[in-house]
Amino acid sequence: MTMIIRSKHRLAAVTTDTQQEYPILPLMTGVLFPGVMLTVQIGRPENKALIEECVSRKMEFVASYAHAEIDTATNPPIHQVGVLARVVDKKEGPGGSLLVTLEGLKRASITTILKTEPFMIGTAFGIDQPTTVHKNIQPRLDAVIAKVGEITHLDPIYSPELSNVLKMNLEDPSALADRVASSFHFSLQAKQELLESVGLDGRYDRLLNLLHGEMQRVTTVLNINQNAKKRIEEEQQRYYLKQQLFEIKRQLGEDLTEEKEAARLRKVIKSATHLPPEVIARARIEIDRLSELSPASAEYGTTKNYLDWLMALPWGKTSLENYTMAEVEHILSTDYYGPTSLKEQIMQRLSVRKLLGGIDEGPTLCLVGAPGTGKASLVKAIARALSKPFVRISVGGISEVSDIKGTTRTWLGAAPGRMVRMLREVGAADPVVLIEDLDYFNVDNDSSVNMALLEAIDNRRNSRFLDNYIGVPFDLSKVFFVCSVRSYEELPEQFIPRLEVVEFPGYIEREKIVIARRYIIPTLLKRHGLIKSQVNINEKTLGRIIAHYTQEAGLLSFSQQIEKICRKIALEKAEKQKQSWVINEKSLTGYLGTPIFIPEKAEKAPEIGTAAGLAWTGAGGELMFIEGLKMKGEGQIITTGSLGEVMRESIQAAHSYVRSKSDILGIDPNDFNEFDIHIHFPSGAIPKDGPSAGVTVCLVIASVMSERPIRNDIAMTGEVTLRGRVLPVAGMKEKISAAYRAGIYEVALPKENEKDIKDLPREIVRKTKFVFIERVDDLFEHCLLDFQPSTYTLEKIFAKEIARSRKKKRTHRPKSRAAAGARSRRKK
């Protein structure tokens, strides 16, 4: 059923008394007004049938604007207010359609739709115009005539005679308003609103508003046309003058500066065989523009700068992948001191690159490790092994896409991004690039900035990297990108699936000493103008610097301390006080001052409730003495030492397990209800978390409750389950090194961590005894002194219960016979 769109305006009360049935013609391309003719093209079968019927029977019908967003097979909704019309002329149109000229008679209001077959028929009544006209209509009528005259004078699409034609209807304000509405290019919706405005006051108000908007449009278009015409004339005049100047200089035998520069650039393009076709095409377009510009214009400088950038980039300049894997392995082993497994992983990536001719579509390498753990040294060694330039780029603080991909040339001060500037400086399309400070990149976490950097460094997407300033894709697929970050948690979320993470473990003391003697000390001596034969720093001194003046997983602070020593030696050498220097443990304080850190040492004797645990920190391994004691209470567990939630749960699990093994440990089960246990972790200002202290806490609780001392010559680590199983933990290399550094040469480890021993230095493996445990019960027997399993029998438990009950009876015994008699009488 066809819907009727009701009028938003109140219809006039002056209507015809009779309501009749009329054919209804939906108009989709125009709005018909009374007293106006409108030619429309009719193609729908039902509308063609309506026209034929009305022409043959000379019938009137209602023409109403039908609002339809798209042309559909169903009838669109029609507006309530239309016009009674008749057919003036009918012709055959293209495609079997009809070209019909309609004449509007008067407004009509449609009440209902009766049927739609064979064409639409409904009931409607005519709307007559008011016979009286208010006096305030005349000023509005004059304003309409004046506004129409202004528009027709400015806009040539309107006939200049339109104003004179409208003045012929001054005696009928309603007809004049309808003719203005039909003559101007208002929107169909606006024309429908004018048709629905039966009252003259409202109709003229709306008409004036529409004419004012049309006047603004005409004025704007006229200004645009005048400005465009003026600019075209100026360009034509400038071109004419320039051609005259060119002809004058040509006849005088002089060359133009811009022509010289254009000729030079064309010669450069012709000689550069490595340029891609799209770069050559873009360069030629810009050179042609440059030859037509004046050297004094700002556009000349901008175009010249762009061409300099375009020609200076290393398009296709790559070196051959002619290295051998044996040479690469030798250089990596010489320039970098670190785990063999890490070097093997790098070798595998480089072998793929060699086989594919310098392309590796795998994920980008990301080196994760504390500062000073050798990330930059490894990447530098890779660059030397590949015979490629090495570049370091810091992306810390970058928060805009333009910093990476540049700005468009239309901007003031436009420039290329960081990647294109790097390529121009290095002069090669296949350098080894280390992206540093990724953890400080895009602190606002704008995903578009993250994706812009990924577009540059992701080997699967960067074969056509587009810089906004250059505007021509550059192939970055042969650039060996390596990212570095301090910790895995600081990686932006979008980077995680695109990167291959390689974790760098912290250096232990022995490794730091080797690196210092092999790399750091020779470099620093050369940097400070010293000779190796003049300065002698023995290994014990280096170990003391590591233990008492640094606390880190890397080598930055360690290198800075050695640098302080070198500066003081350089001062003494410059003052010619000495010629040779021996730095030992006694003279170290004179160079570095009082020790900053006091390392943990093993306890001198076994104690009850004190065990040596092993912890991993960002500065490496650390020995941590966990303390415990019991006191009268209600069986609660008290923990101190800035512990995290995971560690608290681990303590609770250890307590439950020890309580379940009270019979084996010789502990009275009632003691767990009568005594509180306090577990303390030292260095309370430092937050601690993780499950690796589980076995140590188990041992401390067992020692406190059974009152047996714990061996002071053993350290331990491992996670404990509620059933007493010992699970593997991480950071074994650093933890074992911390025990060795503290003078503890026996370490209890989870059985599944036995494979981690191979990464330790030979010296530590040779001197350290490893105890591999699968259950906590093994640790009780190995670490608790005077421990004999199953010695706490049922007889002893019953004896203790009997003693407790007797003590309770003695406590409630009456003090005198009189009191006893009184008590017996009360019972009776």
Side-chain angles (χ1 to χ4, degrees):
M1 192 66 181
T2 303
M3 184 179 67
I4 300 176
I5 302 176
R6 299 295 174 181
S7 175
K8 299 178 182 179
H9 309 287
R10 184 177 180 182
L11 299 179
V14 181
T15 61
T16 57
D17 295 332
T18 59
Q19 180 173 313
Q20 301 179 9
E21 293 184 5
Y22 291 97
I24 299 176
L25 176 65
L27 298 178
M28 297 184 183
T29 59
V31 176
L32 182 63
F33 286 89
V36 178
M37 292 189 180
L38 177 66
T39 301
V40 295
Q41 183 178 6
I42 297 176
R44 289 185 176 234
E46 62 272 18
N47 295 337
K48 291 167 65 176
L50 184 149
I51 294 298
E52 297 292 348
E53 181 72 14
C54 293
V55 169
S56 62
R57 299 178 59 183
K58 297 182 180 181
M59 293 173 54
E60 295 180 357
F61 57 90
V62 177
S64 177
Y65 171 56
H67 179 70
E69 298 291 340
I70 57 175
D71 190 11
T72 59
T74 59
N75 292 322
I78 61 174
H79 285 268
Q80 177 186 2
V81 177
V83 175
L84 284 174
R86 65 185 183 88
V87 178
V88 177
D89 187 27
K90 183 189 73 167
K91 296 180 180 179
E92 296 292 333
S97 62
L98 296 176
L99 295 178
V100 181
T101 301
L102 308 178
E103 180 184 5
L105 302 177
K106 68 176 180 179
R107 286 172 171 80
S109 176
I110 302 172
T111 55
T112 57
I113 302 296
L114 299 178
K115 60 180 181 178
T116 58
E117 296 294 339
F119 46 79
M120 191 182 303
I121 297 177
T123 58
F125 56 84
I127 302 175
D128 296 330
Q129 292 298 321
T131 56
T132 59
V133 179
H134 296 288
K135 295 181 180 181
N136 56 359
I137 292 297
Q138 188 62 39
R140 301 179 188 178
L141 190 148
D142 296 339
V144 167
I145 294 296
K147 188 67 70 175
V148 168
E150 293 177 6
I151 295 174
T152 56
H153 177 71
L154 295 176
D155 195 345
I157 65 173
Y158 296 114
S159 173
E161 300 296 328
L162 180 61
S163 179
N164 296 328
V165 173
L166 294 176
K167 289 179 181 179
M168 298 172 62
N169 296 283
L170 291 176
E171 296 180 358
D172 190 352
S174 177
L176 187 143
D178 290 341
R179 285 191 176 275
V180 172
S182 64
S183 300
F184 280 86
H185 301 320
F186 301 144
S187 65
L188 296 180
Q189 193 65 35
K191 289 186 176 183
Q192 178 64 31
E193 290 184 0
L194 288 173
L195 183 65
E196 294 178 2
S197 301
V198 180
L200 294 179
D201 294 339
R203 196 188 314 175
Y204 269 89
D205 289 340
R206 290 185 179 86
L207 186 59
L208 283 171
N209 288 334
L210 293 173
L211 289 173
H212 180 69
E214 183 69 9
M215 183 67 185
Q216 288 181 338
R217 184 194 68 80
V218 171
T219 305
T220 303
V221 172
L222 184 63
N223 291 335
I224 293 173
N225 292 336
Q226 289 178 349
N227 293 336
K229 183 178 179 181
K230 183 179 179 181
R231 181 170 295 181
I232 292 172
E233 291 175 353
E234 291 176 353
E235 290 291 335
Q236 289 177 345
Q237 183 181 8
R238 184 169 173 271
Y239 177 78
Y240 177 72
L241 293 175
K242 186 176 179 181
Q243 292 297 322
Q244 284 183 328
L245 180 62
F246 176 78
E247 184 64 24
I248 293 171
K249 287 193 173 185
R250 190 184 66 81
Q251 293 186 10
L252 292 175
E254 298 179 0
D255 292 333
L256 294 173
T257 303
E258 55 268 30
E259 286 295 333
K260 286 184 178 180
E261 184 64 23
R264 184 188 68 83
L265 292 172
R266 289 190 181 97
K267 187 176 180 181
V268 171
I269 291 177
K270 190 175 181 180
S271 61
T273 57
H274 61 279
L275 294 178
E278 51 191 343
V279 176
I280 295 175
R282 174 60 65 86
R284 286 175 176 170
I285 293 172
E286 296 298 328
I287 290 172
D288 292 340
R289 291 184 66 250
L290 186 71
S291 62
E292 298 176 359
L293 296 173
S294 171
S297 65
E299 191 176 359
Y300 179 88
T302 303
T303 306
K304 174 70 168 53
N305 187 41
Y306 172 76
L307 283 169
D308 290 341
W309 272 103
L310 192 66
M311 304 305 296
L313 289 179
W315 300 97
K317 290 184 179 180
T318 59
S319 58
L320 297 176
E321 307 288 330
N322 54 3
Y323 50 85
T324 63
M325 300 312 298
E327 294 174 354
V328 172
E329 184 177 6
H330 174 71
I331 293 175
L332 291 180
S333 301
T334 304
D335 293 1
Y336 174 72
Y337 186 87
T340 306
S341 58
L342 194 149
K343 296 178 185 177
E344 291 177 355
Q345 190 172 358
I346 299 298
M347 290 282 294
Q348 293 167 5
R349 291 296 299 265
L350 296 181
S351 62
V352 174
R353 180 182 178 89
K354 178 177 175 61
L355 295 175
L356 294 178
I359 299 176
D360 184 7
E361 296 185 355
T364 305
L365 282 176
C366 181
L367 311 182
V368 178
T373 51
K375 300 187 292 294
S377 300
L378 177 61
V379 181
K380 190 180 296 184
I382 293 173
R384 192 167 84 87
L386 300 180
S387 299
K388 309 284 186 183
F390 173 65
V391 185
R392 301 176 72 167
I393 297 179
S394 174
V395 295
I398 290 180
S399 58
E400 294 183 1
V401 176
S402 59
D403 293 333
I404 301 170
K405 301 187 64 176
T407 52
T408 55
R409 292 171 55 198
T410 56
W411 288 21
L412 182 63
R418 188 74 60 90
M419 296 300 166
V420 171
R421 296 201 301 268
M422 175 269 297
L423 292 171
R424 180 179 180 178
E425 292 172 2
V426 75
D430 58 346
V432 177
V433 180
L434 175 61
I435 307 293
E436 296 184 300
D437 302 324
L438 196 60
D439 39 354
Y440 297 108
F441 171 73
N442 188 20
V443 293
D444 297 332
N445 198 25
D446 185 354
S447 59
S448 61
V449 183
N450 291 339
M451 297 309 296
L453 182 59
L454 276 176
E455 186 179 344
I457 67 174
D458 190 356
N459 296 326
R460 293 166 290 185
R461 305 171 55 188
N462 60 4
S463 60
R464 292 184 62 83
F465 174 74
L466 183 63
D467 185 271
N468 294 328
Y469 180 81
I470 300 299
V472 180
F474 193 97
D475 186 6
L476 294 178
S477 61
K478 292 192 175 183
V479 179
F480 193 89
F481 285 106
V482 182
C483 301
S484 71
V485 69
R486 293 182 303 175
S487 64
Y488 181 81
E489 290 76 14
E490 296 177 354
L491 276 174
E493 183 179 356
Q494 288 90 347
F495 286 77
I496 294 176
R498 311 288 180 90
L499 300 177
E500 179 182 348
V501 176
V502 179
E503 294 190 5
F504 275 59
Y507 290 117
I508 61 177
E509 180 178 339
R510 183 59 191 170
E511 292 174 333
K512 291 181 180 180
I513 293 173
V514 173
I515 295 173
R517 295 181 67 86
R518 187 180 298 180
Y519 302 103
I520 297 177
I521 294 178
T523 303
L524 293 179
L525 291 178
K526 184 178 180 180
R527 189 183 300 171
H528 291 82
L530 302 174
I531 303 174
K532 188 176 181 181
S533 59
Q534 294 178 335
V535 182
N536 182 16
I537 306 176
N538 56 37
E539 292 189 5
K540 290 186 178 180
T541 305
L542 294 174
R544 184 171 179 81
I545 295 174
I546 295 169
H548 293 82
Y549 293 91
T550 65
Q551 195 173 31
E552 58 176 351
L555 298 164
L556 287 182
S557 181
F558 181 42
S559 179
Q560 291 170 1
Q561 298 299 329
I562 299 177
E563 196 169 358
K564 288 182 182 179
I565 297 174
C566 292
R567 284 198 297 267
K568 290 191 176 183
I569 293 175
L571 177 61
E572 294 176 359
K573 183 178 179 179
E575 295 176 350
K576 298 183 180 180
Q577 297 180 3
K578 298 172 64 176
Q579 291 298 324
S580 63
W581 292 264
V582 177
I583 312 299
N584 52 35
E585 294 180 88
K586 293 182 179 180
S587 61
L588 186 62
T589 307
Y591 289 94
L592 299 181
T594 306
I596 303 174
F597 305 103
I598 301 175
E600 294 282 358
K601 295 294 181 182
E603 295 289 339
K604 296 181 179 180
E607 293 185 15
I608 296 176
T610 301
L614 296 173
W616 181 92
T617 65
E622 185 177 344
L623 191 68
M624 182 182 300
F625 290 99
I626 301 176
E627 302 171 344
L629 57 82
K630 69 175 182 179
M631 49 198 169
K632 283 289 185 178
E634 299 177 352
Q636 296 181 356
I637 303 175
I638 303 170
T639 58
T640 52
S642 299
L643 308 183
E645 187 64 28
V646 176
M647 187 167 281
R648 293 180 184 276
E649 293 178 357
S650 179
I651 293 173
Q652 184 63 52
H655 177 266
S656 300
Y657 181 76
V658 173
R659 186 171 183 177
S660 69
K661 298 295 181 179
S662 58
D663 54 343
I664 297 176
L665 294 169
I667 305 172
D668 184 359
N670 295 310
D671 289 350
F672 287 97
N673 297 324
E674 298 175 359
F675 290 94
D676 291 342
I677 301 174
H678 187 165
I679 304 297
H680 176 68
F681 288 72
S683 302
I686 302 174
K688 309 170 190 67
D689 205 356
S692 63
V695 296
T696 315
V697 174
C698 272
L699 196 61
V700 169
I701 296 175
S703 172
V704 167
M705 298 304 295
S706 65
E707 297 182 355
R708 293 188 179 92
I710 302 173
R711 289 174 52 188
N712 63 322
D713 58 347
I714 186 171
M716 61 206 72
T717 183
E719 180 182 355
V720 174
T721 68
L722 198 59
R723 295 179 295 171
R725 292 182 61 246
V726 181
L727 302 182
V729 292
M732 297 308 304
K733 178 181 175 182
E734 291 82 0
K735 293 178 180 179
I736 296 171
S737 300
Y740 180 83
R741 189 169 57 246
I744 298 178
Y745 302 110
E746 187 173 351
V747 181
L749 307 174
K751 178 68 174 176
E752 297 183 25
N753 283 117
E754 187 175 0
K755 61 182 183 300
D756 298 327
I757 303 301
K758 64 179 181 180
D759 295 332
L760 292 171
R762 295 179 181 178
E763 180 183 352
I764 296 179
V765 176
R766 187 172 61 252
K767 289 187 177 181
T768 305
K769 178 183 178 182
F770 299 103
V771 180
F772 300 105
I773 54 177
E774 297 185 36
R775 299 190 60 81
V776 186
D777 300 356
D778 304 334
L779 195 66
F780 294 155
E781 186 174 356
H782 190 77
C783 298
L784 290 177
L785 299 180
D786 303 329
F787 176 72
Q788 296 179 1
S790 303
T791 56
Y792 200 72
T793 58
L794 291 175
E795 289 80 1
K796 290 186 178 181
I797 296 175
F798 292 150
K800 197 167 185 178
E801 288 292 334
I802 293 171
R804 184 182 288 108
S805 62
R806 287 177 178 175
K807 184 178 180 181
K808 189 175 181 181
K809 288 181 180 180
R810 286 196 300 269
T811 303
H812 296 286
R813 183 176 296 171
K815 296 182 178 181
S816 62
R817 291 183 179 180
R823 184 178 178 183
S824 63
R825 286 193 297 274
R826 282 197 301 271
K827 287 183 178 180
K828 292 179 180 181

